[in-house]
Amino acid sequence: MTITGQAGRVERFWALLTPAEHAVLATTGTERDYPAGAVICHEGEVTGHVLVILHGLCRVSAHSSNGHERLLAVRGAGDIVGERSAVDGLPRSATVSALVPLRALVVSASGFAGLCQRHPRIAWAVLKVVITRQRDTDRQRVQYTGSATQRVAAVLIDVALRRGIADQGEVSLSQEELASTVGTSRESLVRVLRTLREEGIISTGRRKIDILRLDRLHELVH
Protein backbone atom coordinates (compact mmCIF):
# COMPACT_ATOMS: atom_id res chain seq x y z
CA MET A 1 0.00 0.00 0.00
CA THR A 2 1.32 3.47 -0.84
CA ILE A 3 0.32 6.71 0.86
CA THR A 4 0.53 10.06 -0.90
CA GLY A 5 -0.47 13.56 0.12
CA GLN A 6 0.05 17.22 -0.60
CA ALA A 7 3.65 18.17 -0.03
CA GLY A 8 4.45 19.72 3.32
CA ARG A 9 7.50 21.66 4.38
CA VAL A 10 10.03 19.35 5.93
CA GLU A 11 13.32 20.79 7.17
CA ARG A 12 15.93 18.09 6.73
CA PHE A 13 19.38 17.75 8.22
CA TRP A 14 21.09 18.25 4.85
CA ALA A 15 19.11 21.45 4.21
CA LEU A 16 20.36 22.93 7.49
CA LEU A 17 23.97 22.81 6.27
CA THR A 18 25.96 25.01 3.93
CA PRO A 19 27.61 23.76 0.71
CA ALA A 20 30.96 23.87 2.49
CA GLU A 21 29.59 21.67 5.27
CA HIS A 22 28.15 19.29 2.66
CA ALA A 23 31.64 18.95 1.24
CA VAL A 24 33.15 18.26 4.66
CA LEU A 25 30.60 15.51 5.30
CA ALA A 26 31.17 14.01 1.87
CA THR A 27 34.93 13.77 2.42
CA THR A 28 34.48 12.28 5.91
CA GLY A 29 31.99 9.59 4.89
CA THR A 30 31.65 6.93 2.22
CA GLU A 31 28.75 6.55 -0.18
CA ARG A 32 27.04 3.16 -0.09
CA ASP A 33 24.11 1.64 -1.98
CA TYR A 34 21.45 -0.59 -0.37
CA PRO A 35 18.93 -2.64 -2.34
CA ALA A 36 15.23 -2.46 -1.50
CA GLY A 37 14.52 -4.57 1.57
CA ALA A 38 18.09 -4.46 2.87
CA VAL A 39 18.44 -4.10 6.64
CA ILE A 40 20.80 -1.20 7.27
CA CYS A 41 21.00 -1.70 11.03
CA HIS A 42 19.24 -3.96 13.54
CA GLU A 43 17.52 -2.95 16.75
CA GLY A 44 19.80 -3.83 19.67
CA GLU A 45 23.05 -4.04 17.74
CA VAL A 46 26.05 -2.08 18.96
CA THR A 47 27.19 0.05 16.04
CA GLY A 48 27.76 3.76 15.93
CA HIS A 49 27.96 4.84 12.30
CA VAL A 50 25.64 7.56 11.01
CA LEU A 51 23.88 7.66 7.68
CA VAL A 52 22.81 10.67 5.68
CA ILE A 53 20.34 9.52 3.04
CA LEU A 54 21.20 10.84 -0.41
CA HIS A 55 18.50 9.07 -2.39
CA GLY A 56 15.61 6.75 -1.58
CA LEU A 57 13.51 5.97 1.48
CA CYS A 58 13.97 3.82 4.58
CA ARG A 59 11.64 2.67 7.34
CA VAL A 60 12.51 2.85 11.02
CA SER A 61 10.79 0.27 13.24
CA ALA A 62 11.06 -1.21 16.72
CA HIS A 63 9.40 -3.95 18.74
CA SER A 64 7.00 -3.07 21.52
CA SER A 65 6.88 -4.84 24.89
CA ASN A 66 4.29 -7.31 23.53
CA GLY A 67 6.60 -8.27 20.66
CA HIS A 68 4.75 -6.47 17.88
CA GLU A 69 6.79 -4.49 15.39
CA ARG A 70 5.82 -0.81 15.20
CA LEU A 71 6.67 1.62 12.44
CA LEU A 72 8.35 4.65 14.01
CA ALA A 73 9.24 6.74 10.99
CA VAL A 74 10.00 6.90 7.31
CA ARG A 75 13.13 8.81 6.35
CA GLY A 76 14.07 10.21 2.97
CA ALA A 77 16.79 12.08 1.11
CA GLY A 78 18.51 14.65 3.32
CA ASP A 79 17.62 12.92 6.57
CA ILE A 80 20.18 11.74 9.11
CA VAL A 81 19.75 8.28 10.65
CA GLY A 82 21.54 6.67 13.59
CA GLU A 83 22.75 9.84 15.25
CA ARG A 84 21.73 8.84 18.80
CA SER A 85 23.87 5.71 18.96
CA ALA A 86 26.78 7.66 17.52
CA VAL A 87 26.47 10.18 20.36
CA ASP A 88 25.70 7.98 23.39
CA GLY A 89 27.28 4.69 22.29
CA LEU A 90 24.20 2.68 23.30
CA PRO A 91 22.71 -0.15 21.19
CA ARG A 92 20.46 0.77 18.29
CA SER A 93 16.94 1.60 19.45
CA ALA A 94 15.37 0.63 16.11
CA THR A 95 15.81 -1.36 12.93
CA VAL A 96 16.37 0.61 9.73
CA SER A 97 15.64 -1.00 6.36
CA ALA A 98 15.49 0.30 2.79
CA LEU A 99 12.00 0.68 1.34
CA VAL A 100 13.40 1.27 -2.15
CA PRO A 101 16.94 1.22 -3.57
CA LEU A 102 18.78 3.64 -1.33
CA ARG A 103 22.07 5.51 -1.40
CA ALA A 104 23.51 6.93 1.80
CA LEU A 105 26.61 8.68 3.03
CA VAL A 106 27.99 6.52 5.83
CA VAL A 107 30.07 8.26 8.51
CA SER A 108 31.82 6.37 11.30
CA ALA A 109 31.06 7.23 14.92
CA SER A 110 34.52 8.69 15.43
CA GLY A 111 34.33 10.66 12.20
CA PHE A 112 30.91 11.99 13.16
CA ALA A 113 32.14 13.02 16.63
CA GLY A 114 35.10 14.83 15.09
CA LEU A 115 32.84 16.67 12.66
CA CYS A 116 30.56 17.88 15.45
CA GLN A 117 33.51 19.00 17.57
CA ARG A 118 35.22 20.87 14.74
CA HIS A 119 32.08 22.30 13.13
CA PRO A 120 29.58 23.72 15.66
CA ARG A 121 27.00 24.40 12.96
CA ILE A 122 26.88 20.70 12.09
CA ALA A 123 26.45 19.85 15.79
CA TRP A 124 23.65 22.44 16.01
CA ALA A 125 21.91 20.90 12.98
CA VAL A 126 22.05 17.48 14.63
CA LEU A 127 20.64 18.93 17.86
CA LYS A 128 17.80 20.58 15.94
CA VAL A 129 16.92 17.26 14.28
CA VAL A 130 16.97 15.40 17.61
CA ILE A 131 14.71 17.97 19.29
CA THR A 132 12.27 18.01 16.36
CA ARG A 133 11.99 14.23 16.47
CA GLN A 134 11.44 14.27 20.22
CA ARG A 135 8.62 16.78 19.75
CA ASP A 136 7.13 14.47 17.11
CA THR A 137 7.26 11.59 19.58
CA ASP A 138 5.51 13.65 22.25
CA ARG A 139 2.84 14.71 19.75
CA GLN A 140 2.25 11.12 18.67
CA ARG A 141 1.59 10.08 22.28
CA VAL A 142 -1.20 12.65 22.44
CA GLN A 143 -2.66 12.01 19.01
CA TYR A 144 -2.83 8.23 19.18
CA THR A 145 -5.13 8.03 22.18
CA GLY A 146 -8.48 8.83 20.51
CA SER A 147 -10.95 6.71 18.56
CA ALA A 148 -9.82 4.42 15.76
CA THR A 149 -10.89 7.03 13.21
CA GLN A 150 -8.93 9.77 14.99
CA ARG A 151 -5.84 7.56 15.22
CA VAL A 152 -6.01 6.57 11.54
CA ALA A 153 -6.39 10.23 10.54
CA ALA A 154 -3.41 11.18 12.74
CA VAL A 155 -1.22 8.45 11.27
CA LEU A 156 -2.12 9.36 7.68
CA ILE A 157 -1.15 12.96 8.38
CA ASP A 158 1.99 11.88 10.20
CA VAL A 159 3.26 9.35 7.68
CA ALA A 160 2.38 11.28 4.55
CA LEU A 161 3.34 14.77 5.68
CA ARG A 162 5.31 15.01 8.91
CA ARG A 163 7.70 12.08 8.79
CA GLY A 164 9.48 13.55 5.84
CA ILE A 165 8.20 11.81 2.74
CA ALA A 166 5.40 13.87 1.16
CA ASP A 167 7.86 15.94 -0.85
CA GLN A 168 9.54 12.82 -2.22
CA GLY A 169 6.57 10.94 -3.59
CA GLU A 170 4.81 7.99 -2.04
CA VAL A 171 5.60 5.61 0.78
CA SER A 172 4.88 1.89 0.66
CA LEU A 173 3.33 0.30 3.76
CA SER A 174 1.33 -2.86 4.18
CA GLN A 175 -2.10 -2.74 5.83
CA GLU A 176 -0.58 -4.69 8.71
CA GLU A 177 2.14 -2.03 9.16
CA LEU A 178 -0.39 0.78 9.00
CA ALA A 179 -2.70 -0.98 11.48
CA SER A 180 0.25 -1.59 13.82
CA THR A 181 1.21 2.08 13.68
CA VAL A 182 -2.37 3.10 14.43
CA GLY A 183 -2.64 0.54 17.22
CA THR A 184 -5.73 -1.19 15.86
CA SER A 185 -6.69 -4.38 14.07
CA ARG A 186 -6.49 -4.74 10.30
CA GLU A 187 -10.28 -5.22 10.20
CA SER A 188 -10.87 -1.97 12.10
CA LEU A 189 -8.43 -0.17 9.81
CA VAL A 190 -10.30 -1.38 6.72
CA ARG A 191 -13.59 -0.11 8.16
CA VAL A 192 -12.15 3.33 8.92
CA LEU A 193 -10.53 3.62 5.48
CA ARG A 194 -13.86 2.71 3.87
CA THR A 195 -15.60 5.48 5.84
CA LEU A 196 -12.93 8.04 4.93
CA ARG A 197 -13.23 7.03 1.29
CA GLU A 198 -17.03 7.35 1.32
CA GLU A 199 -16.71 10.85 2.79
CA GLY A 200 -14.31 11.89 0.03
CA ILE A 201 -11.39 12.43 2.40
CA ILE A 202 -9.18 9.82 0.76
CA SER A 203 -9.28 7.68 -2.35
CA THR A 204 -8.02 4.13 -2.40
CA GLY A 205 -6.79 1.88 -5.16
CA ARG A 206 -4.86 -1.33 -5.32
CA ARG A 207 -2.43 -1.00 -2.39
CA LYS A 208 -2.69 2.79 -2.53
CA ILE A 209 -4.17 5.63 -0.46
CA ASP A 210 -4.34 9.20 -1.79
CA ILE A 211 -5.10 11.98 0.69
CA LEU A 212 -7.66 14.28 -0.95
CA ARG A 213 -8.84 16.42 1.99
CA LEU A 214 -6.03 17.11 4.40
CA ASP A 215 -8.16 19.71 6.15
CA ARG A 216 -10.80 17.08 6.96
CA LEU A 217 -8.17 14.76 8.43
CA HIS A 218 -7.02 17.58 10.71
CA GLU A 219 -10.63 18.20 11.75
CA LEU A 220 -11.06 14.53 12.64
CA VAL A 221 -7.90 14.52 14.75
CA HIS A 222 -8.76 17.68 16.66
Side-chain angles (χ1 to χ4, degrees), residues 35-86:
V39 176
I40 298 170
C41 63
H42 290 272
E43 179 181 1
E45 75 178 25
V46 182
T47 54
H49 58 276
V50 172
L51 291 90
V52 179
I53 302 172
L54 303 176
H55 177 75
L57 295 166
C58 66
R59 68 190 300 273
V60 183
S61 62
H63 287 84
S64 61
S65 57
N66 59 13
H68 292 140
E69 186 182 32
R70 181 179 178 84
L71 176 71
L72 301 178
V74 176
R75 305 294 182 207
D79 283 328
I80 187 171
V81 179
E83 70 285 346
R84 286 192 296 180
S85 290

Side-chain angles (χ1 to χ4, degrees), residues 44-193:
E45 75 178 25
V46 182
T47 54
H49 58 276
V50 172
L51 291 90
V52 179
I53 302 172
L54 303 176
H55 177 75
L57 295 166
C58 66
R59 68 190 300 273
V60 183
S61 62
H63 287 84
S64 61
S65 57
N66 59 13
H68 292 140
E69 186 182 32
R70 181 179 178 84
L71 176 71
L72 301 178
V74 176
R75 305 294 182 207
D79 283 328
I80 187 171
V81 179
E83 70 285 346
R84 286 192 296 180
S85 290
V87 172
D88 62 20
L90 295 177
R92 299 288 188 186
S93 59
T95 294
V96 179
S97 55
L99 280 170
V100 297
L102 180 146
R103 172 169 291 183
L105 182 66
V106 183
V107 182
S108 68
S110 59
F112 182 69
L115 279 175
C116 290
Q117 291 163 6
R118 294 191 304 272
H119 301 273
R121 272 184 42 82
I122 294 179
W124 183 256
V126 174
L127 179 60
K128 188 169 184 177
V129 167
V130 170
I131 290 175
T132 298
R133 292 177 181 175
Q134 184 58 54
R135 288 187 184 275
D136 285 344
T137 299
D138 294 341
R139 174 181 47 75
Q140 289 166 25
R141 291 195 186 102
V142 174
Q143 284 186 338
Y144 298 169
T145 56
S147 68
T149 299
Q150 288 175 311
R151 298 199 308 273
V152 170
V155 169
L156 289 176
I157 293 169
D158 197 50
V159 172
L161 303 179
R162 290 203 182 101
R163 296 196 193 183
I165 52 84
D167 57 343
Q168 298 189 54
E170 55 192 27
V171 157
S172 178
L173 298 174
S174 69
Q175 285 192 347
E176 290 75 12
E177 288 175 320
L178 188 54
S180 173
T181 304
V182 172
T184 191
S185 67
R186 183 175 178 274
E187 292 73 20
S188 179
L189 172 68
V190 170
R191 287 195 296 271
V192 171
L193 293 178

Side-chain angles (χ1 to χ4, degrees), residues 11-24:
E11 197 168 32
R12 303 174 187 283
F13 171 72
W14 195 253
L16 297 172
L17 305 180
T18 65
E21 289 159 348
H22 293 164
V24 170

